[in-house]
């Protein structure tokens, strides 16, 4: 019997209301865009809808520009795993801009994968405020 292939679509992307990680509700889309103003507190990313993958492991990864750590070395990409909780599941993946702002500008690539196979891949451009409008 053939394995069911997960069905994945990106519902929306761009700038969102701040996300409360402890709440069940996902953030609300404010503006659909891949050009993000590089301002403190801006929440950006996308919501993916995943079907036919309950109990599989979802791997996420956020590749950011070479943001330096406290010793000046580039931070590694932010990554982790989450179990898919339902057969029709919405998942928000994104980040928020923090100070200092200047080193956050550039491309931010965000991927989701199931069983090591990338299922979504989007890149956001964090721009100086006057360039993103």
């Amino acid at each position: 019997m053939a394995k069911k292939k997960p069905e994945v679509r990106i519902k929306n992307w761009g700038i969102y209301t701040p996300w409360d990680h402890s709440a069940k509700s996902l953030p609300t889309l404010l503006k659909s865009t891949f050009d993000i103003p590089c301002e403190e507190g801006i929440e950006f990313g996308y919501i993916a809808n995943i079907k036919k993958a309950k109990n599989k492991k979802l791997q996420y990864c956020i590749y950011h520009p070479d943001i330096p750590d406290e010793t000046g070395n580039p931070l590694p990409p932010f990554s982790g795993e989450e179990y898919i909780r339902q057969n029709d599941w919405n998942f928000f993946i994104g980040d928020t801009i923090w100070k200092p702002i200047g080193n956050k500008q550039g491309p931010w690539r965000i991927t989701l994968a199931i069983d090591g196979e990338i299922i979504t891949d989007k890149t956001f451009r964090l721009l100086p405020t006057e360039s993103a409008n």
Side-chain angles (χ1 to χ4, degrees):
M1 183 179 241
K3 290 170 80 175
K4 289 182 187 174
K5 186 168 175 100
E7 294 175 14
V8 181
R9 74 178 181 91
I10 295 180
K11 291 181 71 167
N12 51 51
W13 61 87
I15 300 171
Y16 292 84
T17 57
W19 184 37
D20 178 358
H21 299 268
S22 62
K24 287 189 177 193
S25 62
L26 297 179
T28 302
L29 180 68
L30 297 173
K31 182 179 180 183
S32 184
T33 183
F34 288 108
D35 293 338
I36 309 298
C38 199
E39 299 174 3
E40 182 180 14
I42 293 277
E43 184 93 39
F44 68 97
Y46 57 87
I47 294 176
N49 177 259
I50 304 168
K51 295 181 179 178
K52 300 180 182 177
K54 184 177 179 179
N55 297 324
K56 290 187 177 271
K57 268 191 202 174
L58 179 72
Q59 298 89 33
Y60 55 86
C61 191
I62 301 174
Y63 304 86
H64 41 68
D66 288 336
I67 299 170
D69 64 15
E70 55 280 344
T71 62
N73 294 316
L75 291 171
F78 176 73
S79 62
E81 294 182 330
E82 180 89 20
Y83 278 99
I84 297 172
R85 299 183 195 132
Q86 301 168 332
N87 274 325
D88 187 354
W89 190 53
N90 291 321
F91 182 76
F92 174 74
I93 182 68
D95 213 333
T96 303
I97 307 305
W98 67 96
K99 287 186 178 181
I101 303 298
N103 65 9
K104 308 300 181 299
Q105 295 176 23
W108 290 59
R109 180 180 175 218
I110 303 175
T111 64
L112 297 177
I114 296 174
D115 297 331
E117 181 180 334
I118 292 179
I119 58 170
T120 65
D121 187 345
K122 293 293 177 193
T123 300
F124 296 86
R125 295 182 324 151
L126 272 69
L127 304 168
T129 303
E130 60 277 358
S131 300
N133 294 324

